[in-house]
Amino acid sequence: MNEIGARYSHKMLDEILPPAFDYARRKRIGEARLKELDQSYLAENQDEENLDMMAGMLVAGSLFTSAKLAGAFLRSQGDELSEEAGKMARMWRKTPWTYMAVDILERIDDSPFFRMKALGGKPKTFAAEEDWPEFTL
């Protein structure tokens, strides 16, 4: 993913995640994972901002790593999304999120984006062959 693609994706996530978190809260999606986080060693030793970020990743991951749950979210909240954000969210029904371990190579100027190198094999949902294993996100 190039820097332009990463900026576009970041903008779409800013639109998609607030209604996704509301939906997940109403449907109690990710609740068990959040309880585990609250009881974990990490919860006791991380600052509030890191804990909030980890909780958000757990909830979004619970929702968008499942094609079934991503589809349910779209049926419920899809009308609230712009056409572009709706297209991105619909893509997750066919290619749900996959988490991977990475090495951070560099930060892109003062932006929120990083150049990174993936560790391990390419996930089946990582579509861009030309950017593997280094990419911007």
Side-chain angles (χ1 to χ4, degrees):
M1 180 183 302
N2 62 25
E3 188 174 346
I4 294 169
R7 287 184 191 281
Y8 174 80
S9 297
H10 192 267
K11 179 183 171 207
M12 294 298 98
L13 284 175
D14 285 347
E15 180 182 343
I16 293 168
L17 290 179
F21 291 146
D22 289 342
Y23 176 79
R25 186 175 27 257
R26 284 194 318 273
K27 298 295 184 175
R28 302 174 76 146
I29 295 168
E31 196 170 83
R33 289 184 179 173
L34 288 174
K35 284 181 184 175
E36 288 174 20
L37 178 65
D38 284 341
Q39 297 169 2
S40 75
Y41 173 81
L42 291 174
E44 295 172 9
N45 295 288
Q46 294 290 321
D47 63 41
E48 187 89 18
E49 185 177 337
N50 284 342
L51 189 58
D52 287 347
M53 183 179 68
M54 289 167 47
M57 289 172 55
L58 283 171
V59 171
S62 295
L63 183 56
F64 295 125
T65 57
S66 163
K68 180 180 176 182
L69 291 176
F73 164 73
L74 277 166
R75 286 188 296 281
S76 174
Q77 305 296 123
D79 292 343
E80 295 181 26
L81 302 176
S82 68
E83 183 178 343
E84 292 175 322
K87 284 180 186 177
M88 177 180 263
R90 280 191 294 280
M91 177 181 67
W92 299 332
R93 289 186 305 185
K94 293 180 183 171
T95 54
W97 286 13
T98 300
Y99 288 104
M100 68 179 91
V102 297
D103 272 337
I104 304 296
L105 302 176
E106 67 177 324
R107 186 177 189 136
I108 307 294
D109 301 321
D110 290 328
S111 75
F113 302 103
F114 294 87
R115 187 87 187 136
M116 49 187 72
K117 181 175 183 176
L119 304 174
K122 179 178 164 254
K124 65 180 179 178
T125 58
F126 195 94
E129 285 289 333
E130 66 277 2
D131 289 343
W132 187 260
E134 293 184 14
F135 53 94
T136 301
L137 189 64

